[in-house]
């Protein structure tokens, strides 16, 4: 296995290259699908990185696009091979948001807005357990613990200072500080932990107080992930109940980026936020 290969990112990069080849050929996804006797949705899923790409898929597509450079074909075939490997998260079994984990693992920066709870990367074990158990009332204790363990592993991007840390900005609605998740001790520990993490040089936390009133984030949670490699498009992630949404079009990314800047401008400064959270923690005695 190739070291440090992220299959999610490999699929996205490969899909992007295949889309470029199709566009250079002047073909639509429907035309390619007709040539290969497959559905148009398969071609779309291959290009947007939502479906695993086999080396046979690459070979067939290169044939349709008339790619004759052996080096290009070999490079794409290698990417297809790597895209079918497993990331660290696969060891935990079926994780419904595995695509997001793959993106987060590779991201250089993350901007997240959370209106209801503390962001997952900043949660304590106890708080995470209470959040997940409450959100999945029919889940077994084993299923809850598995998701908690995945969340704790994801946090290494924040806490492992020996590696390249994830640059994180978090705007959190005051509601998340007021909503009692678990018991008082759980909440106090979580808020104190949030203050500690907010003092790391690569983590910025801002609270959006109730007094702001209506704001651009009333529609719900979202995250914006950016990557070091310029070939990887910025992604906006919207979490759903049964399915998640990933937006990559420039217009969508721009809209959410502008929205986030408005939220940051309306939120308390990082220093005032720490004082605000410390005061909130004192209420959980």
């Amino acid at each position: 296995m190739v070291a440090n290969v992220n299959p999610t990112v490999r699929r996205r990069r490969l899909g992007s290259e295949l889309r470029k080849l199709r566009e250079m050929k002047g073909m639509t996804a429907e035309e390619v699908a007709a040539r290969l006797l497959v559905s148009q949705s398969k071609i779309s899923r291959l290009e947007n990185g939502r479906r695993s790409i086999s080396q046979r898929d690459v070979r067939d597509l290169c044939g349709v696009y008339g790619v004759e450079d052996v080096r290009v074909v070999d490079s794409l075939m290698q990417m297809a091979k790597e895209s079918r490997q497993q990331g660290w998260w696969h060891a935990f079994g079926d994780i419904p948001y595995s695509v997001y984990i793959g993106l987060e693992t590779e991201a250089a920066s993350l901007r997240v807005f959370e209106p209801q709870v503390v962001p997952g990367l900043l949660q304590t074990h106890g708080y995470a357990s209470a959040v997940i158990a409450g959100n999945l009332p029919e889940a077994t204790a084993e299923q809850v613990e598995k998701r908690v363990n995945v969340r704790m592993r994801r946090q290494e991007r924040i806490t492992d200072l020996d590696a390249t840390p994830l640059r994180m900005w978090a705007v959190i609605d005051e509601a998340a500080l007021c909503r009692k998740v678990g018991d008082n001790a759980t909440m106090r520990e979580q808020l104190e932990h949030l203050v500690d993490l907010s003092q790391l040089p690569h983590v910025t936390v801002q609270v959006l107080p109730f007094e702001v009133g209506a704001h651009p984030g009333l529609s719900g949670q979202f995250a914006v992930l950016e990557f070091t490699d310029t070939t990887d498009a910025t992604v906006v992630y919207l979490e759903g109940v049964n399915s998640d949404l990933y937006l990559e079009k420039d217009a969508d990314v721009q809209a959410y980026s502008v929205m986030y800047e408005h939220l940051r401008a309306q939120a308390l400064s990082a220093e005032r936020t720490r004082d605000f959270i410390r005061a909130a923690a004192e209420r959980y005695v």
Side-chain angles (χ1 to χ4, degrees):
M1 179 178 293
V2 179
N4 299 320
V5 169
N6 185 316
T8 303
V9 173
R10 279 290 188 272
R11 286 199 303 270
R12 292 180 72 233
R13 291 175 183 170
L14 178 54
S16 176
E17 292 301 319
L18 293 173
R19 182 171 59 251
K20 291 176 183 177
L21 290 174
R22 175 177 60 78
E23 293 172 346
M24 288 172 60
K25 190 68 175 178
M27 299 180 69
T28 65
E30 291 83 357
E31 291 171 337
V32 175
R35 285 278 299 274
L36 296 178
L37 300 179
V38 299
S39 67
Q40 185 271 331
S41 63
K42 175 180 178 177
I43 302 301
S44 296
R45 290 197 298 272
L46 291 178
E47 290 185 352
N48 63 27
R50 301 293 179 263
R51 177 183 175 126
S52 181
I53 306 177
S54 69
Q55 291 179 300
R56 179 176 179 176
D57 290 329
V58 171
R59 183 197 64 194
D60 292 346
L61 289 167
C62 285
V64 171
Y65 302 147
V67 181
E68 298 180 352
D69 190 326
V70 176
R71 292 170 300 178
V72 172
V73 176
D74 288 347
S75 176
L76 296 175
M77 294 280 276
Q78 180 63 29
M79 291 176 71
K81 180 180 179 180
E82 293 173 357
S83 74
R84 298 178 72 83
Q85 296 175 5
Q86 294 189 333
W88 63 259
W89 52 94
H90 290 100
F92 291 87
D94 183 27
I95 302 296
Y97 50 96
S98 60
V99 172
Y100 173 78
I101 295 176
L103 294 175
E104 181 187 85
T105 300
E106 189 74 9
S109 70
L110 172 66
R111 289 173 286 167
V112 60
F113 169 66
E114 277 288 358
Q116 301 293 341
V117 296
V118 172
L121 291 183
L122 306 179
Q123 292 177 4
T124 63
H125 189 286
Y127 184 91
S129 297
V131 166
I132 294 171
N135 192 45
L136 301 172
E138 297 185 3
T140 65
E142 182 180 2
Q143 291 171 328
V144 170
E145 186 62 18
K146 180 177 73 172
R147 292 204 179 203
V148 172
N149 289 337
V150 171
R151 189 160 298 182
M152 296 300 104
R153 173 66 184 273
R154 287 167 52 204
Q155 290 182 5
E156 292 180 7
R157 290 298 316 279
I158 297 294
T159 59
D160 185 1
L161 302 183
D162 292 330
T164 302
L166 175 68
R167 181 66 179 94
M168 182 176 183
W169 287 269
V171 176
I172 307 171
D173 195 281
E174 183 179 348
L177 310 185
C178 297
R179 176 167 287 99
K180 184 178 175 181
V181 175
D183 56 21
N184 281 358
T186 298
M187 282 299 298
R188 188 182 182 95
E189 178 189 37
Q190 173 59 75
L191 296 183
E192 291 174 347
H193 181 65
L194 189 57
V195 170
D196 290 341
L197 291 180
S198 74
Q199 298 181 78
L200 294 174
H202 55 282
V203 177
T204 301
V205 177
Q206 293 179 260
V207 165
L208 192 66
F210 287 143
E211 65 185 33
V212 167
H215 57 76
L218 290 177
S219 58
Q221 177 271 352
F222 68 92
V224 182
L225 301 99
E226 295 180 300
F227 305 86
T228 300
D229 195 315
T230 56
T231 62
D232 296 325
T234 299
V235 178
V236 175
Y237 170 70
L238 305 175
E239 184 177 359
V241 176
N242 294 319
S243 61
D244 301 327
L245 188 61
Y246 299 86
L247 307 177
E248 298 181 40
K249 292 182 179 179
D250 290 342
D252 293 329
V253 172
Q254 176 67 11
Y256 276 91
S257 295
V258 170
M259 186 187 307
Y260 199 81
E261 290 309 307
H262 280 288
L263 290 170
R264 288 184 61 192
Q266 291 177 278
L268 300 176
S269 68
E271 188 58 42
R272 289 186 62 196
T273 286
R274 281 190 280 273
D275 292 338
F276 195 91
I277 296 175
R278 289 188 185 102
E282 293 296 325
R283 298 197 293 267
Y284 295 101
V285 295

